[in-house]
Amino acid sequence: MHGKKILITGGTGQVARPVAEALAAENEVWCLGRFGDRAARTALQERGARTVVWDMATDDLAGLPRDFTHVLHSAVHRGDGRDFEETARVNATGTARLMTHCSTAESFLYVSSGVVYDRADGTHRYRESDPLGGAAPWLPTYPIAKITAEGVARGLAETLGLPTVIARLNIAYGPYGHGGVPMILFNEMRRRQPCAVPRQGQNHCNLLHTDDVVRQVPLLWDAARVPARVVNWGGDEEVGITDLLEYMSALTGVPVLLDRCDTSRETAIFDHGVRRGLIGDCTVDWRTGIARTLAELFEEYRDRIDEYLGTHTADAAG
Ligand code: NDP
C-alpha cells in the first residue's frame, strides 16, 4: 500500500503501533491519541508518522484534515469494570466523531473483539452470526465498549455510505506495547505467580502475530463495504493456553505454576470461514512467533531460546 492518507487511533497500542510504523514508510500516516507513552510517540514520529493529541473521551476533531483515504480505529476505552455509562459513551462518541469526520474515506476499519460473543461452551467455534452478549468477569465493561462501538460503526456506515469493516480480533501478540496476553502471562511466570487455568481441559484461542496484523490491515480495508462487514480476525491455529504456558516455560526455563481453578480468563476460538475467504491465511505459526517475541522482548532469555530451538529443530530434522 502506498500513497494513501491514513488516520490511525490506538497508534501507541500493541495492535496498531506496528501497523502505523510499517505504513508510514510509503503513506502519509496520522496517529491520534493521548500519548502518555512518550517513547511510543517518539518512535512513531521517527518512522515518519504525524502525531496529534486527541482524547476520544472529550475532544472533537476540529483542525484535523478530512481527506483521509483510510481509517484504522483501534483505540479503546475498556472502562473500569463498573461505569458502563461512561464506557459506552466514550467508545460510541469516539467512533462517531471519527466516522463523521472521515465520511468520504475509501475504507474504515473498526477493531472489535471476540469478547462481544455471548459465551458458549469452550469448544464452540464462534461465527460472525452467533449471538452477541459478551461476558468478561475480569472486566465487565469491556464487552459493552466493543458492542456499543460496533453499533455506531454499523449505523454510520449506512447513514454516511462509508465502507466499513468490523474486525473482531482474537488474541494479538508481538514485540510491541504490553506484548499481548501471552507476554502478560509470561510476566506472571517470571514473578512466580500462579497462572489461572481451568480445572479440566484448557482454554483455547487463535493467536495472531503482529506481523500478520500488519499484513492483513490493508486486506481488511479492501473488504470494507456498506452495510458494514463483520469478520472474525484471528490466527489460523487453535492454541491451548496451558500448552502456551508450558511452551514458554520450555523455551526460557522459567517455571510455570498452574492454578487449576474456576476463575481462569476464558478465551475463544473462531470459525475462520469468512476471514479466509476475504483475506486468506496467516503466515506466522504460533510457536515460531512466541519464540521470536520472547527473544525480542526479553534479551536475558535469548541464548536459552536459541539453544532450545537449535536442539528441537535438529531433533525434528534428524
Ligand atoms: P492497548 O491497550 O495496547 O492500547 C490502547 C490504545 O487506545 C492506546 O493506543 C491508547 O492511546 C488508546 N486510547 C485509550 N483511551 C483513549 C482515549 N481516551 N483517547 C484516545 N486514545 C485512547 O490496546 P491494544 O493495542 O491491545 O488493542 C487495540 C484494539 O484491539 C482495541 O480496540 C482492543 O479492544 C482490540 N483488541 C485487542 C486484542 C489484543 O489481543 N490486543 C484482542 C481483541 C481486541 P493513548 O494512551 O496514547 O491515548
Side-chain angles (χ1 to χ4, degrees):
M1 188 169 199
H2 54 88
K4 301 294 184 183
K5 186 162 177 173
I6 298 168
L7 184 62
I8 295 180
T9 71
T12 55
Q14 185 231 339
V15 172
R17 182 169 154 200
V19 180
E21 290 187 6
L23 289 174
E26 297 192 23
N27 301 274
E28 184 178 327
V29 171
W30 295 57
C31 291
L32 303 182
R34 296 163 304 171
F35 300 109
D37 182 347
R38 289 190 186 183
R41 183 177 194 176
T42 304
L44 286 164
Q45 291 169 337
E46 284 171 357
R47 298 292 284 266
R50 301 182 195 204
T51 57
V52 177
V53 174
W54 177 68
D55 185 339
M56 71 174 166
T58 50
D59 300 346
D60 64 28
L61 294 164
L64 193 74
R66 288 182 177 272
D67 58 344
F68 293 99
T69 58
H70 294 76
V71 183
L72 170 61
H73 180 26
S74 186
V76 61
H77 172 71
R78 292 184 173 89
D80 61 3
R82 296 183 302 277
D83 195 341
F84 293 88
E85 282 292 313
E86 180 66 357
T87 304
R89 185 193 72 76
V90 172
N91 290 284
T93 309
T95 305
R97 282 191 176 121
L98 284 167
M99 292 184 80
T100 48
H101 191 86
C102 302
S103 60
T104 59
E106 292 169 26
S107 183
F108 186 97
L109 166 53
Y110 173 62
V111 184
S112 187
S113 166
V115 80
V116 298
Y117 290 116
D118 198 20
R119 305 310 294 197
D121 77 69
T123 61
H124 182 72
R125 288 175 181 79
Y126 291 89
R127 303 172 75 99
E128 288 80 354
S129 55
D130 272 355
L132 301 181
W138 39 277
L139 192 57
T141 43
Y142 184 40
I144 301 311
K146 307 313 288 183
I147 291 172
T148 311
E150 277 198 12
V152 172
R154 286 175 196 269
L156 287 182
E158 288 197 50
T159 53
L160 298 170
L162 172 56
T164 296
V165 57
I166 295 169
R168 291 182 181 149
L169 186 57
N170 200 286
I171 291 182
Y173 72 100
Y176 290 86
H178 49 68
V181 168
M183 296 306 119
I184 292 169
L185 292 171
F186 182 64
N187 274 316
E188 288 181 10
M189 290 166 55
R190 293 172 77 218
R191 293 192 296 266
R192 303 294 189 263
Q193 287 176 353
C195 299
V197 296
R199 289 190 191 281
Q200 293 188 334
Q202 54 178 316
N203 293 319
H204 287 84
C205 65
N206 303 113
L207 292 178
L208 182 65
H209 191 275
T210 43
D211 282 1
D212 278 315
V213 170
V214 169
R215 196 178 55 79
Q216 291 175 340
V217 162
L219 302 175
L220 285 168
W221 272 323
D222 286 345
R225 67 172 186 189
V226 178
R229 193 194 291 271
V230 178
V231 55
N232 284 341
W233 191 21
D236 295 340
E237 300 160 292
E238 294 179 359
V239 183
I241 297 289
T242 310
D243 294 341
L244 166 68
L245 294 168
E246 288 172 346
Y247 181 60
M248 293 195 292
S249 177
L251 278 171
T252 60
V254 175
V256 56
L257 306 171
L258 298 181
D259 175 18
R260 296 200 177 276
C261 61
D262 297 321
T263 55
S264 67
R265 185 162 154 170
E266 207 180 324
T267 50
I269 41 177
F270 288 164
D271 179 293
H272 297 309
V274 173
R275 189 258 299 165
R276 282 203 154 108
L278 290 172
I279 64 172
D281 288 347
C282 298
T283 58
V284 183
D285 77 84
W286 77 269
R287 285 189 176 79
T288 305
I290 289 292
R292 269 175 41 202
T293 304
L294 286 169
E296 284 175 72
L297 288 180
F298 302 97
E299 197 180 341
E300 63 270 37
Y301 301 111
R302 264 181 215 162
D303 291 345
R304 163 109 199 187
I305 291 169
D306 284 347
E307 193 183 322
Y308 178 94
L309 293 177
T311 310
H312 286 75
T313 309
D315 286 352

